[in-house]
Amino acid sequence: MPTTTEDYQGFIGWVLSLMERFGEFGVGLAIFLENFIPPIPSEAILPGAGFLAYAGLMSPWGAWIWANLGSLLGALLWYGVGAALGAERTRAIMGRLPLLKVSDFDKAERWFDRWGPWAVLLGRCVPIVRSFISIPAGITRMRMLTFLAFTLVGSAIWNGIWIGLGFGLGPSIEPVLAEWSGVLSNVVVALAALAVVAFIIQRLRTLRRRDPV
């Protein structure tokens, strides 16, 4: 079992060493930022935290608690945006930000229209929706205690599943990373680069359709 992340190479080693350096707080910060930068997926962050916990380099409970706090703070900020701006102004602002899409907000709004307050709990376990489900909750001025409770329960379930997977699969992941972290890092970087290029192309097409020359 590793006692340091220096045993791993490339991008994967860098990410694990960064998480180790900032500890459980870094997990919470990353999950907080996920609310505003969708390309940062919790599905990649949280298993890494679980793996570090398996390796004895992080507390699993500490990572889980900080991840929940990061989720809750990000949700509260989006709730405040929805309450302060309303639906149309929020939609207009999201349409102008490079990393956010109006369709993501519309999807979260449809979820809320269908499920009501329960959408906050359920939405925290659905990619993309989990980042924006707090906006319609804020627009409708959902009761704060209910919002906080549902957000915390949904986030705790989601974060616990992914951290638990990283921890539980640690014995299987460790020998693979120890031998192939360099190769896997190159694959991850290549896929990330392709995803960024595809994202930029999609955004440029959207802006061109919205603002034709």
Side-chain angles (χ1 to χ4, degrees):
M1 182 182 296
T3 57
T4 176
T5 55
E6 294 178 358
D7 297 333
Y8 305 118
Q9 303 173 8
F11 177 75
I12 290 175
W14 177 77
V15 170
L16 291 176
S17 65
L18 196 64
M19 292 179 66
E20 180 187 10
R21 184 178 308 161
F22 287 97
E24 294 84 353
F25 169 77
V27 177
L29 179 60
I31 296 303
F32 170 76
L33 292 176
E34 182 212 9
N35 287 274
F36 308 95
I37 310 175
I40 300 178
S42 60
E43 299 93 322
I45 299 167
L46 296 172
F51 175 73
L52 291 178
Y54 154 77
L57 303 174
M58 182 179 292
S59 164
W61 291 107
W64 181 67
I65 290 171
W66 275 103
N68 294 338
L69 289 175
S71 298
L72 191 61
L73 182 56
L76 277 170
L77 288 180
W78 276 128
Y79 180 99
V81 169
L85 300 180
E88 294 307 318
R89 281 189 291 176
T90 301
R91 183 180 287 106
I93 290 173
M94 290 187 68
R96 295 294 175 181
L97 296 178
L99 295 178
L100 302 178
K101 295 188 293 183
V102 174
S103 60
D104 295 335
F105 166 72
D106 291 338
K107 184 177 181 180
E109 193 173 39
R110 288 194 298 270
W111 262 73
F112 196 85
D113 290 341
R114 179 178 181 182
W115 298 102
W118 287 98
V120 174
L121 191 153
L122 297 172
R124 296 304 302 182
C125 298
V126 179
I128 301 298
V129 171
R130 66 189 310 271
S131 296
F132 302 114
I133 194 63
S134 303
I135 300 176
I139 291 171
T140 61
R141 303 297 177 95
M142 180 180 172
R143 187 167 175 265
M144 180 57 70
L145 286 178
T146 303
F147 172 76
L148 291 175
F150 281 16
T151 298
L152 188 57
V153 171
S155 299
I157 293 171
W158 176 264
N159 296 334
I161 288 173
W162 288 103
I163 291 175
L165 282 174
F167 188 92
L169 294 176
S172 301
I173 296 173
E174 191 277 326
V176 175
L177 289 184
E179 185 170 356
W180 299 99
S181 59
V183 175
L184 291 174
S185 293
N186 293 334
V187 173
V188 169
V189 170
L191 291 176
L194 289 174
V196 170
V197 171
F199 178 82
I200 292 173
I201 293 173
Q202 188 274 335
R203 287 296 291 167
L204 289 175
R205 288 177 176 173
T206 300
L207 292 173
R208 190 175 294 122
R209 287 195 300 267
R210 187 177 61 200
D211 301 317
V213 179

